[in-house]
Amino acid sequence: MTGINWLGIWAVYRFELARFRRTLATSLLTPVITTSLYFVVFGSAIGGRINLVDGIPYAAFIVPGLMLLSMLTEGIGNASFGIYLPKWSGTIYELLSAPMSPVETVIAYVGAAATKSMILGLVIFVTAHLFVALPIAHPFYMVAFMALTAITFCLFGFVLGIWANSFEQLQIIPLLVITPLTFLGGTFYSISMLPAAWQKLALLNPIVYLISGFRWTFFGRGDVSIGWSLGVTGLFLLLCLGTVGWIFRTGWRLKS
């Protein structure tokens, strides 16, 4: 049994990160400006009317949601574009014929996208400290939950990149599904603020469990229990892994 081709993984991983380094200033400046605007609009304007949410200052309350909002959209975008570009340019055949297993290929592409997503999340986290005092009840779990979320949704983005047949299709799911679900998933509010019927409806949104779990790592409380948050996230991770495994076994849309 041969070992893992770490050299091949590192080569693809470094190539994917090179795109990020070439636009480093823009990639880091954009979330800083966006986060600042969110704090001006939501933290100041709305926060002045809503002092506390579940006993947490509103400006601090929205930080976990803001971090996940950016991490999900950027992670999916980076992972989907990273694997779609070889399909579009035709270099996917060189990748498939390279001495790298499907597992090694996924590690390289998803690892690079997850790294970029994590860096973005940390930049937003640092920026938030300029506006509000931000306690962290469980720092280890915060980093672990960030990594789990980044890997899961970068896997999802990897699947989208293989599914898409055009650059327009790359944008359909993130714009029409993921972003609305994130805004409706408790990014700027607690679902306990909703009427009872809407609370039950909100629990059908998987993003609620992500944001609630991540918020728990900051403040020790969330809309749902941390067990449910980890369970839903883990289930989605397994679903993405199963889908990626099926794609490489069948070659679906990889060679067409």
Side-chain angles (χ1 to χ4, degrees):
M1 181 177 178
T2 59
I4 297 178
N5 184 0
W6 293 111
L7 182 61
I9 292 174
W10 173 245
V12 176
Y13 178 87
R14 186 176 58 181
F15 176 81
E16 286 299 300
L17 284 185
R19 289 191 291 108
F20 180 67
R21 289 196 300 269
R22 285 194 295 268
T23 59
L24 188 62
T26 304
S27 299
L28 297 182
L29 186 61
T30 300
V32 171
I33 294 175
T34 303
T35 303
S36 301
L37 289 174
Y38 274 125
F39 271 103
V40 170
V41 174
F42 289 95
S44 299
I46 299 179
R49 299 173 181 270
I50 306 174
N51 294 323
L52 298 174
V53 178
D54 293 337
I56 304 166
Y58 183 75
F61 178 85
I62 65 175
V63 172
L66 288 178
M67 292 175 64
L68 279 191
L69 173 63
S70 297
M71 287 179 63
L72 294 188
T73 54
E74 290 297 321
I76 292 173
N78 285 320
S80 60
F81 183 80
I83 191 61
Y84 176 76
L85 193 59
K87 284 181 54 185
W88 175 77
S89 63
T91 56
I92 188 72
Y93 299 104
E94 297 177 10
L95 177 66
L96 294 174
S97 62
M100 290 181 63
S101 68
V103 172
E104 292 162 351
T105 301
V106 173
I107 290 175
Y109 277 100
V110 173
T115 299
K116 289 181 274 188
S117 181
M118 289 280 290
I119 291 173
L120 180 64
L122 292 174
V123 168
I124 294 174
F125 176 75
V126 172
T127 303
H129 275 279
L130 301 177
F131 296 89
V132 62
L134 197 59
I136 306 176
H138 308 284
F140 172 79
Y141 291 113
M142 184 200 81
V143 176
F145 204 91
M146 282 180 66
L148 176 63
T149 301
I151 292 170
T152 299
F153 277 84
C154 287
L155 273 170
F156 181 65
F158 188 85
V159 173
L160 286 182
I162 294 174
W163 164 78
N165 283 325
S166 66
F167 286 101
E168 289 76 15
Q169 283 189 344
L170 283 179
Q171 305 299 321
I172 291 176
I173 302 299
L175 288 178
L176 298 183
V177 179
I178 301 300
T179 299
L181 285 180
T182 305
F183 275 98
L184 296 173
T187 301
F188 300 108
Y189 59 88
S190 169
I191 64 171
S192 62
M193 302 168 66
L194 300 174
W198 284 101
Q199 289 184 36
K200 294 179 181 179
L201 187 62
L203 291 176
L204 299 177
N205 181 355
I207 305 299
V208 166
Y209 298 88
L210 291 178
I211 294 178
S212 176
F214 197 44
R215 190 167 282 140
W216 175 88
T217 67
F218 280 81
F219 311 114
R221 68 190 74 174
D223 289 319
V224 297
S225 69
I226 185 61
W228 271 105
S229 296
L230 290 174
V232 171
T233 306
L235 181 62
F236 190 57
L237 173 63
L238 292 176
L239 179 62
C240 290
L241 286 172
T243 304
V244 170
W246 174 80
I247 287 172
F248 276 99
R249 283 197 307 272
T250 61
W252 180 75
R253 294 206 174 184
L254 280 175
K255 303 177 182 179
S256 59

